[in-house]
Amino acid sequence: MALTLAEAKQETVRIQKSLVALIPEALCSPDRLPEPGSVKMTPQATPDGDGFRYPGSAAVRLVKDADGQAIVELLEQELRTQGWQETPMPTVAQPKRRLFVNAAGYETIISTIDRSDDLPMVVMDVWSPPATAPENFNRFTDKI
């Protein structure tokens, strides 16, 4: 495993920022959410316990009548154009949900949240491939 957690975070944040940049500014609410990478996250241990995955999550709050699903579809099309492979992962609430994986092993799911008590949002979750943690890393308390 040559990838470090710091490198995994850097690439995860880069992917999120590139997706956020594709959302038309006119559809973004002035009530902004934290920027990708600005909130420290707890890396997730891999199932075999051999490494960690950096779990990045970013969201963009949209203006009131924006079509969140259309934005998701725009971002998913961009991932396809970049060569990301997709796998359907439907849920009851999100029947069109898909998991995308790139050649380097990064995974992303882009979804919408449309609640009656808040503005609609587009959420971009990105996970890194397995990476090595720094020496003395405590998987229960350390965040990066």
Side-chain angles (χ1 to χ4, degrees), residues 23-30 60-67 70-71 120:
I23 299 173
E25 189 64 32
L27 298 179
C28 296
S29 168
V60 173
R61 189 174 279 131
L62 305 173
V63 294
K64 184 176 182 189
D65 293 321
D67 184 348
I71 293 170

Side-chain angles (χ1 to χ4, degrees), residues 3-103:
L3 185 68
T4 67
L5 268 176
E7 293 166 334
K9 177 182 180 176
Q10 182 179 9
E11 179 62 6
T12 298
V13 169
R14 186 200 66 75
I15 292 167
Q16 291 171 319
K17 286 183 176 183
S18 70
L19 292 169
V20 168
L22 294 172
I23 299 173
E25 189 64 32
L27 298 179
C28 296
S29 168
D31 186 14
R32 302 292 174 149
L33 295 168
E35 293 289 318
S38 64
V39 175
K40 289 188 174 192
M41 303 295 285
T42 301
Q44 301 169 338
T46 57
D48 61 12
D50 228 14
F52 294 88
R53 299 179 75 196
Y54 181 80
S57 187
V60 173
R61 189 174 279 131
L62 305 173
V63 294
K64 184 176 182 189
D65 293 321
D67 184 348
Q69 187 58 43
I71 293 170
V72 168
E73 290 168 13
L74 168 81
L75 300 179
E76 288 179 342
Q77 184 56 45
E78 177 61 25
L79 293 174
R80 287 182 199 100
T81 301
Q82 294 176 16
W84 291 63
Q85 300 299 310
E86 67 182 286
T87 303
M89 292 194 66
T91 65
V92 171
Q94 304 247 339
K96 295 182 180 180
R97 188 174 82 149
R98 293 170 183 81
L99 171 72
F100 286 83
V101 181
N102 72 8

